[in-house]
Amino acid sequence: MGFKITATFTALGEPNRLHIVELLRDGPLTVGEIADRLQLRQPQASKHLRVLLEAGLVEVQPMANRRIYKLRLEPFQALDAWLESYRSVWEERFDNLENYLQQLQSEENKQN
Amino acid sequence: MGFKITATFTALGEPNRLHIVELLRDGPLTVGEIADRLQLRQPQASKHLRVLLEAGLVEVQPMANRRIYKLRLEPFQALDAWLESYRSVWEERFDNLENYLQQLQSEENKQN
DNA sequence: CAATAATATTCCTTGACAGGAATATTCTGT
DNA sequence: ACAGAATATTCCTGTCAAGGAATATTATTG
């Protein structure tokens, strides 16, 4: 806990990192495996993983020579919670209400 | 349609822009109002709004002298859909399954 | 302890981005 | 058409992030 949601967004804003996350959705992977599948050089893979790690999106588990990265759930749940407040917005068709209010305003206090 | 989700993420990765979006959640606002509430100078507000606009997160509706910005629903729904595939991950406790697989692997084909 | 595999870190360079200040644009009313 | 309000754009500058290449670190095996 204690990760800022903007960190989540910026981390996922980079295409390679988004791709990594999508790979990890299907299960934990090794740095080398990630680099292979994404056509990345190993150092770049490590660097992106570092960013994801610091954003709390993944965690790492050393195994022998390797480091296995896997998704952490919390940031996704946080994202979900954040989205929740917007779901109500579109479900209530807030949109139309506002159009209505704008009409009122645009007609400068016309009283019927 | 046709907006990349990475664009959504990068747009929301900037704290001021995230803040703008959260303001707009409660209803459409004018550039000036946004600048006021966020303690931003008008040009910066306009610039951030431009980014949000190009990412498809907001739309603008000219009214007289002003421009009223409001949220567009689609990117949020897209985000929601994207998150959906991760919900199943954490709901199925995929995590434990993987720990199990890792154990197997770490013990190098030990057959009981 | 040497050799090797897997991964991380550093240094460098380049490009993107954010804020500040100034200026341009657009619309309205007269 | 002009003045003024609201907003957009441009230019400049400094910072930060990403890729490439080289090197350092860590753990395993013999």
Side-chain angles (χ1 to χ4, degrees), chain A residues 9 33 76 107:
Chain A
F9 284 132
E33 292 168 330
F76 294 90
E107 298 186 17

Side-chain angles (χ1 to χ4, degrees), chain A residues 6 9-10 12-13 18 22 25-28 61 70 73 76 80 82 85-87 90 94 98-99 102, chain B residues 6 9-10 13 18 22 25-28 61 70 73 76 80 82 85-87 90 94-95 98-99 102:
Chain A
T6 54
F9 284 132
T10 59
L12 295 177
L18 181 63
E22 287 173 344
R25 193 189 31 162
D26 297 331
Q61 176 179 339
K70 63 164 76 165
L73 307 181
F76 294 90
D80 195 42
W82 182 82
S85 57
Y86 293 84
R87 266 190 280 278
W90 76 65
F94 184 95
E98 279 307 322
N99 280 337
Q102 279 175 44
Chain B
T6 55
F9 285 131
T10 60
L18 180 63
E22 287 173 345
R25 193 189 32 163
D26 297 330
Q61 175 178 340
K70 63 164 77 166
L73 308 181
F76 294 90
D80 195 41
W82 183 81
S85 56
Y86 294 84
R87 266 191 280 277
W90 75 67
F94 184 97
D95 210 22
E98 280 307 322
N99 281 336
Q102 279 174 44

